[in-house]
Amino acid sequence: MRINSIITPKRAAALRCFGALALLAVLSGCKAVVMDPSGDIATRQRDLLIVSTVLMLIIIIPVMALTVIFAWRYRETNKEARYEPDWDHSTQLELVIWAAPLLIIIFLGAVTWVGTHLLDPFREIGRISPQQALVAGNKPLEIDVVALDWKWLFIYPEQGIATVNELAAPVDRPIDFKITSSSVMNSFFIPSLAGQIYAMPGMESRLHAVINRPGEYDGFSANYSGAGFSGMHFQFHGQTASDFAAWVSRIKKAGGSMDRDLYLTLEQPSENAPVRDYGRVDADLYHAAVNMCVEPGKMCRDEMMQIDAKGGLGLAGVYNVVPLEYDKYARRGTTVLGPQPSYVAALCNTAPVKSTVAAQPIKAPLLREVAQLTGAALHSPGLLR
């Protein structure tokens, strides 16, 4: 029996309808988070996207429609269409073709410029929602974010707690994110809250946002950063003020302390890291993470910049920048700078020691021995006069 005798045209049509219905059923489970956000910043970004798309469609749709109309009207078989091989200009048509796109570009540029500045992630928010103004006493919640390989560390300086791959904030309270990375560049993104912003090592990015509806929202890294990138997901809990206070209290009671030693262990690459809570956190941990000096005794980047501003350390300062022990250079048995991982731990000034050696002229044969002289405050004989 042949297959085409089993699948009749009616059955084929029924199968196509069934496939279409199945596809719609699957798509019905999807949520367009970007088009239905829960934070005011993300909502305004959505509105900017819609306005820009509509403005561009004002040109795109007529052009697509006219392409089809002209192709049909002036087809070869239509003998009634006007044939004007010498036609080359129409002032009215030129005005329409150039004026309409020009006006749209001007309007689109103005909307984009204003929206870009108003939605600058470094700019503090000016309202809670379209219906709710920002109250002067509503202090922003500071959350320090560190992108690790491959997990997220969140530090709450005001509450004195830290979490891994779990984030929470009260609704209608401004949030001030300070974002950095421990090794490579990542991208911090909670679509329901605000747009993405990059996390870069040795640098601090800022993101100001607010969540307006309680709920559970997805957060992740939107920038590829290695083998464990796909597991850099976390849950963002939008909570009422009382629920957030209870969440903080639960973490504090759970105990555990996030100190520098634990951070150095945590920052080593691991995939699909579980949620972890820490009831205490080193107050200077985030500052050390930004300045890449979590390791004991290592000079911080801000200290190095202060030294550079006053003239620098010369070649000695180069050895302050060393690769991580677990990076690709260390695995290959080599380092980026210098023969071995070494760096200046501290700078100190010693009291000058008065030399007991009288400065006297030296003879030419002794000049080659000057380079071998060592000692505190020991002048080179004969070179001072």
Side-chain angles (χ1 to χ4, degrees):
M1 182 180 296
R2 296 194 305 178
I3 296 179
N4 23 355
S5 63
I6 299 176
I7 304 179
T8 62
K10 291 185 178 180
R11 290 182 179 179
L15 288 174
R16 286 194 294 268
C17 293
F18 177 78
L21 292 175
L23 180 61
L24 291 175
V26 172
L27 293 177
S28 64
C30 299
K31 181 180 179 182
V33 180
V34 176
M35 303 306 294
D36 185 25
S38 300
D40 183 63
I41 297 297
T43 300
R44 295 161 74 178
Q45 291 174 336
R46 186 270 318 270
D47 295 342
L48 180 61
L49 178 63
I50 293 176
V51 171
S52 302
T53 303
V54 170
L55 287 174
M56 290 183 288
L57 288 177
I58 293 176
I59 294 297
I60 294 174
I61 291 178
V63 169
M64 295 178 65
L66 288 173
T67 300
V68 176
I69 293 174
F70 273 75
W72 174 256
R73 182 172 180 178
Y74 295 101
R75 67 191 186 277
E76 183 180 3
T77 57
N78 186 11
K79 304 303 181 180
E80 297 180 359
R82 293 172 58 186
Y83 179 65
E84 299 180 7
D86 298 328
W87 181 90
D88 60 0
H89 179 71
S90 172
T91 303
Q92 294 81 3
L93 188 58
E94 292 285 346
L95 289 175
V96 174
I97 291 176
W98 292 107
L102 181 61
L103 292 175
I104 291 176
I105 291 173
I106 293 174
F107 188 69
L108 182 62
V111 170
T112 304
W113 188 89
V114 173
T116 301
H117 285 76
L118 289 178
L119 300 176
D120 183 357
F122 283 76
R123 183 178 184 269
E124 296 183 2
I125 62 174
R127 70 183 191 188
I128 299 298
S129 67
Q131 298 79 26
Q132 184 177 355
L134 182 64
V135 181
N138 196 354
K139 181 182 177 181
L141 173 66
E142 180 181 337
I143 303 177
D144 300 333
V145 182
V146 183
L148 305 173
D149 294 330
W150 288 278
K151 60 197 80 73
W152 293 95
L153 172 63
F154 303 105
I155 300 174
Y156 292 77
E158 180 182 344
Q159 290 73 23
I161 62 174
T163 61
V164 174
N165 286 344
E166 184 180 31
L167 181 63
V171 297
D172 295 338
R173 180 178 178 180
I175 309 173
D176 181 7
F177 290 103
K178 297 180 179 179
I179 307 168
T180 190
S181 175
S182 65
S183 58
V184 299
M185 184 171 67
N186 276 281
S187 180
F188 179 71
F189 191 24
I190 306 176
S192 294
L193 181 67
Q196 63 171 319
I197 186 166
Y198 286 106
M200 294 168 283
M203 300 179 63
E204 180 182 274
S205 297
R206 302 289 293 271
L207 176 64
H208 293 84
V210 62
I211 192 71
N212 300 120
R213 295 201 302 258
E216 304 292 323
Y217 308 102
D218 294 327
F220 53 90
S221 174
N223 186 79
Y224 181 74
S225 59
F229 157 75
S230 59
M232 290 189 67
H233 291 259
F234 62 90
Q235 282 292 312
F236 172 54
H237 309 289
Q239 302 173 330
T240 62
S242 58
D243 290 340
F244 178 73
W247 181 79
V248 173
S249 178
R250 177 184 63 81
I251 293 178
K252 287 186 175 182
K253 291 179 180 178
S257 178
M258 171 59 68
D259 54 16
R260 296 196 177 202
D261 292 336
L262 183 57
Y263 175 90
L264 292 175
T265 303
L266 185 66
E267 76 168 355
Q268 298 185 21
S270 62
E271 300 183 25
N272 301 314
V275 174
R276 304 174 192 174
D277 301 326
Y278 302 93
R280 297 180 302 277
V281 63
D282 186 338
D284 296 326
L285 180 60
Y286 177 74
H287 173 269
V290 173
N291 289 279
M292 306 180 73
C293 57
V294 179
E295 299 169 82
K298 187 174 181 181
M299 183 181 293
C300 296
R301 288 173 55 89
D302 56 353
E303 296 173 341
M304 294 173 61
M305 287 187 286
Q306 291 179 3
I307 293 173
D308 291 339
K310 295 181 179 180
L313 285 176
L315 293 178
V318 175
Y319 290 94
N320 286 282
V321 184
V322 296
L324 299 174
E325 294 181 357
Y326 51 81
D327 69 4
K328 61 182 180 181
Y329 298 102
R331 288 199 299 269
R332 295 171 183 169
T334 60
T335 56
V336 179
L337 299 172
Q340 59 183 357
S342 62
Y343 46 81
V344 178
L347 296 176
C348 58
N349 295 324
T350 58
V353 178
K354 186 176 181 180
S355 175
T356 58
V357 179
Q360 297 178 358
I362 62 176
K363 298 180 180 180
L366 297 179
L367 286 174
R368 57 178 176 270
E369 299 181 3
V370 173
Q372 301 176 4
L373 297 176
T374 59
L378 185 61
H379 302 298
S380 299
L383 301 181
L384 299 180
R385 294 183 180 179

